[in-house]
Amino acid sequence: MVAAVLAGLSLLSLLTCGYLAWGSRRGRAGEAPGNLLGEEPAAGTPRSQPHIIFILADDQGFRDVGYHGSEIRTPTLDKLAAEGVKLENYYVQPMCTPSRSQLITGKYQIHTGLQHSIIRPTQPNCLPLDNVTLPQKLKEVGYSTHMVGKWHLGFYRRECMPTQRGFDSFFGSLLGSGDYYTHFKCDSPGICGYDLYENDNAAWDHDNGIYSTQMYTQKVQQILASHNPRKPIFLYIAYQAVHSPLQAPGRYFEHYRSINNINRRRYAAMLACLDEAINNVTLALRKYGYYENSIIIYSSDNGGQPMAGGSNWPLRGSKGTYWEGGIRAVGFVHSPLLKNKGSVCKELVHITDWFPTLITLAEGQIDEDIQLDGYDVWETISEGRRSPRVDILHNIDPIYTKAKNGSWAAGYGIWNTAIQSAIRVNHWKLLTGNPGYSDWVPPQAFSNAGPNRWHNERVSWSAGKTVWLFNITADPYERVDLSARHPEVVKQLLRRLSQFNKTAVPVRYPPKDPRSNPKLNGGVWGPWFKEDEKKKKSDKSKGANKQKKSKNKKKAN
């Protein structure tokens, strides 16, 4: 009864205010307001361009932070979040590459061609070179830009490397995962290589068996120690933790011996190490004079993977799915520049929003021809104002059509429900196709030594189901499907999906290239596409064409 009343209220709000905004294009961040009259900046306003520290965790589950009730201790994250602003209606993408691409471009996947899966190590693919990146825009206004950690946005050409996409320096890995100590990664049997880079070269000198979370933190400390804090810095720290393989130094297991499930125990140790690392980063910011004019943003890149120790309870689903457990993330902002410190933001925020928000804070400009999907949400976070965002396109993946019973008829002739897609508008969320693994995995599921699904709340679907509708505000755990009760809302959201789809660019998902094998590149994962070879081939073909033309002219004469 309560769900029905809330659903009705949500429907009314959708029809009166939310749907009217659908026709408008994305909000653009304009110029940052200038202090033309020389007044003192108001409280919460940066006195100069702020230092921006963006920390991205990998595969951290929604429950896996102390302040969400986890048994894993995260005192650093808890303290930073409590003194800052917790983002409790914050969304990312369900996998690594999509979240990273949307962070760095401010665009949905359908607008970069990366709407299917992730970028594989052997694919000749990367974030399209015609997309302007966040570090490039920050460099334009005088920022020093540095990246430490996991890239996972492609590397088949040198132009795809982090140092070619706006970062002054890069130290980390190019792939999506690898051994935390040896930094080796096998993509398939016999296709293995080393994956640790410093700028554009393999970092063999740093191959000292140091655990990557600690190694990356040491690099961050070195960068902060050598930089002048009077000059603005953008530091993107993309930790490998807590992504599989599940590895951690022995001392971090001390508090978690009682966890019987070996994957959960290892995961807990990894997260404890990550929490300590972030404490050390914060101490370095204070020690070297950055903290008072800094903005620290913390985010997970997607939901946790229960089979690899992560927990999203009480949310439904996991990493790789469009259920809330795959896309609703741990996130907060910590900064002396915040107006409403110690608060909780329940307004809608998406990972694309960081692009315009940070550029505006940095006193940069966003070109009018950049069609962004993100909004400037600083006033929403810092001052508690309403979010300019009313919808999120979680994704449209035209390649993933595994819903055998999907059809245009099921989509009322508006949408083919075989296509995997998901969209959020105000309180409503619509999913089509096959959204992925959909169990609720409670904490007791981790009580045994091995993966145990007996404790999971299994889902029994009616045969042929390919459309779901939820009121996320009333039902954040996606337990009550309202698609049959509100067909008009379903149709409206399907029309919105169709509108978005008209703006989509072709999917970039090429087959693997045998030239990517690290054995052909000195045992290292790295760029294999040689631009010179392509030019030589084109030059040869041009030369051959010229010869043919001259011969044809002689014959004609």
Side-chain angles (χ1 to χ4, degrees):
M1 180 66 182
V2 175
V5 172
L6 288 170
L9 291 172
S10 183
L11 172 60
L12 181 62
S13 69
L14 173 67
L15 295 176
T16 55
C17 61
Y19 193 68
L20 294 175
W22 287 359
S24 62
R25 186 65 174 127
R26 292 274 155 291
R28 308 286 201 286
E31 294 184 43
N35 190 2
L36 301 177
L37 301 179
E39 302 98 332
E40 281 294 310
T45 303
R47 293 181 178 275
S48 61
Q49 292 169 300
H51 305 299
I52 300 168
I53 294 85
F54 198 104
I55 302 172
L56 190 66
D58 202 342
D59 286 10
Q60 182 178 5
F62 181 78
R63 184 180 175 84
D64 295 330
V65 65
Y67 64 84
H68 279 174
S70 177
E71 79 278 24
I72 303 172
R73 302 175 189 179
T74 56
T76 302
L77 297 180
D78 295 349
K79 186 173 189 296
L80 291 175
E83 295 172 353
V85 177
K86 297 174 184 174
L87 305 178
E88 294 299 342
N89 199 5
Y90 173 55
Y91 288 85
V92 294
Q93 297 308 111
M95 287 184 288
C96 307
T97 297
S99 284
R100 285 163 168 75
S101 70
Q102 298 197 34
L103 163 66
I104 209 169
T105 66
K107 295 181 180 182
Y108 290 144
Q109 293 161 257
I110 65 164
H111 296 142
T112 59
L114 300 176
Q115 53 267 60
H116 181 68
S117 191
I118 60 173
I119 295 177
R120 308 286 176 182
T122 56
Q123 283 181 313
N125 195 13
C126 73
L127 180 70
L129 300 177
D130 57 353
N131 283 269
V132 178
T133 68
L134 178 58
Q136 286 171 339
K137 296 301 294 181
L138 293 175
K139 277 175 68 72
E140 288 179 4
V141 288
Y143 273 73
S144 177
T145 59
H146 303 274
M147 179 182 172
V148 177
K150 170 179 165 177
W151 175 237
H152 207 184
L153 287 174
F155 58 88
Y156 80 105
R157 296 171 57 171
R158 287 210 171 269
E159 293 89 342
C160 301
M161 297 285 281
T163 53
Q164 306 300 314
R165 304 310 301 269
F167 288 104
D168 293 326
S169 74
F170 167 65
F171 180 75
S173 63
L174 299 175
L175 277 63
S177 64
D179 191 282
Y180 280 72
Y181 293 97
T182 66
H183 318 298
F184 268 83
K185 166 70 175 180
C186 290
D187 184 60
S188 59
I191 311 296
C192 304
Y194 184 69
D195 182 30
L196 182 64
Y197 268 74
E198 185 161 30
N199 297 323
D200 294 335
N201 300 302
W204 294 108
D205 294 342
H206 295 273
D207 186 16
N208 300 316
I210 302 175
Y211 187 67
S212 75
T213 302
Q214 298 169 328
M215 180 176 63
Y216 290 156
T217 303
Q218 291 173 10
K219 187 64 177 181
V220 169
Q221 292 168 326
Q222 293 169 11
I223 292 170
L224 293 174
S226 60
H227 183 74
N228 182 355
R230 294 180 181 178
K231 297 180 179 179
I233 189 172
F234 171 53
L235 190 51
Y236 174 36
I237 313 169
Y239 281 107
Q240 180 181 354
V242 284
H243 196 293
S244 60
L246 301 178
Q247 299 171 295
R251 69 184 180 91
Y252 295 99
F253 287 85
E254 291 175 4
H255 296 294
Y256 303 106
R257 303 289 182 193
S258 60
I259 299 179
N260 291 325
N261 184 293
I262 185 63
N263 286 347
R264 184 66 174 170
R265 191 190 318 150
R266 289 171 177 165
Y267 179 97
M270 295 168 75
L271 187 55
C273 181
L274 177 63
D275 187 79
E276 181 185 276
I278 292 164
N279 180 55
N280 290 333
V281 170
T282 309
L283 291 174
L285 290 170
R286 292 180 182 274
K287 177 179 179 180
Y288 298 115
Y290 297 88
Y291 178 78
E292 292 302 325
N293 190 36
S294 68
I295 297 171
I296 303 170
I297 301 165
Y298 182 87
S299 171
S300 180
D301 67 338
N302 46 247
Q305 177 55 267
M307 293 302 163
S311 176
N312 303 307
W313 178 261
L315 302 180
R316 182 178 186 176
S318 64
K319 171 186 177 177
T321 77
Y322 290 97
W323 303 108
E324 292 291 285
I327 56 179
R328 191 168 172 183
V330 173
F332 63 79
V333 178
H334 178 97
S335 173
L337 308 176
L338 290 165
K339 286 187 177 180
N340 291 351
K341 300 181 185 70
S343 63
V344 175
C345 174
K346 294 186 178 180
E347 292 293 306
L348 200 58
V349 178
H350 185 247
I351 195 166
T352 53
D353 297 332
W354 298 121
F355 185 97
T357 301
L358 297 180
I359 291 173
T360 302
L361 284 170
E363 302 174 11
Q365 295 185 11
I366 296 177
D367 304 328
E368 291 185 2
D369 60 341
I370 299 180
Q371 298 291 306
L372 290 184
D373 295 303
Y375 294 92
D376 179 359
V377 292
W378 181 250
E379 290 182 348
T380 299
I381 295 170
S382 178
E383 303 174 28
R385 297 191 184 186
R386 294 297 301 272
S387 174
R389 178 179 286 283
V390 295
D391 61 7
I392 298 173
L393 175 67
H394 293 305
N395 196 25
I396 299 171
D397 185 346
I399 292 180
Y400 196 90
T401 55
K402 292 188 176 182
K404 297 178 181 178
N405 296 296
S407 65
W408 285 94
Y412 299 97
I414 301 168
W415 186 257
N416 181 0
T417 63
I419 296 172
Q420 185 189 62
S421 66
I423 189 170
R424 168 82 177 267
V425 180
N426 288 322
H427 305 296
W428 295 104
K429 178 182 177 183
L430 180 82
L431 303 99
T432 72
N434 181 353
Y437 175 82
S438 62
D439 286 1
W440 294 270
V441 185
Q444 60 265 33
F446 296 101
S447 61
N448 296 325
N452 187 342
R453 297 183 64 182
W454 289 107
H455 292 287
N456 295 7
E457 294 187 50
R458 306 304 300 276
V459 183
S460 57
W461 290 345
S462 56
K465 187 163 185 57
T466 55
V467 177
W468 295 262
L469 179 71
F470 299 97
N471 180 329
I472 293 298
T473 305
D475 178 25
Y477 314 137
E478 298 172 298
R479 292 182 176 273
V480 182
D481 175 22
L482 300 170
S483 59
R485 201 178 305 176
H486 295 291
E488 290 305 314
V489 177
V490 171
K491 291 176 185 177
Q492 289 171 358
L493 269 66
L494 290 174
R495 290 190 192 101
R496 186 62 179 132
L497 276 174
S498 180
Q499 291 171 6
F500 268 120
N501 201 41
K502 290 175 183 176
T503 68
V505 301
V507 178
R508 298 168 60 99
Y509 198 74
K512 64 181 181 181
D513 187 337
R515 294 177 296 174
S516 63
N517 193 330
K519 290 180 180 178
L520 306 176
N521 194 28
V524 178
W525 288 104
W528 70 85
F529 182 90
K530 301 295 189 291
E531 190 68 32
D532 293 340
E533 291 180 8
K534 187 177 179 182
K535 286 181 179 178
K536 286 177 182 178
K537 289 180 180 178
S538 62
D539 290 342
K540 285 181 179 179
S541 62
K542 286 179 183 177
N545 289 334
K546 285 181 180 178
Q547 288 180 355
K548 287 180 181 178
K549 286 180 181 178
S550 62
K551 287 180 179 178
N552 290 335
K553 283 182 180 179
K554 289 178 180 178
K555 288 180 180 178
N557 291 331

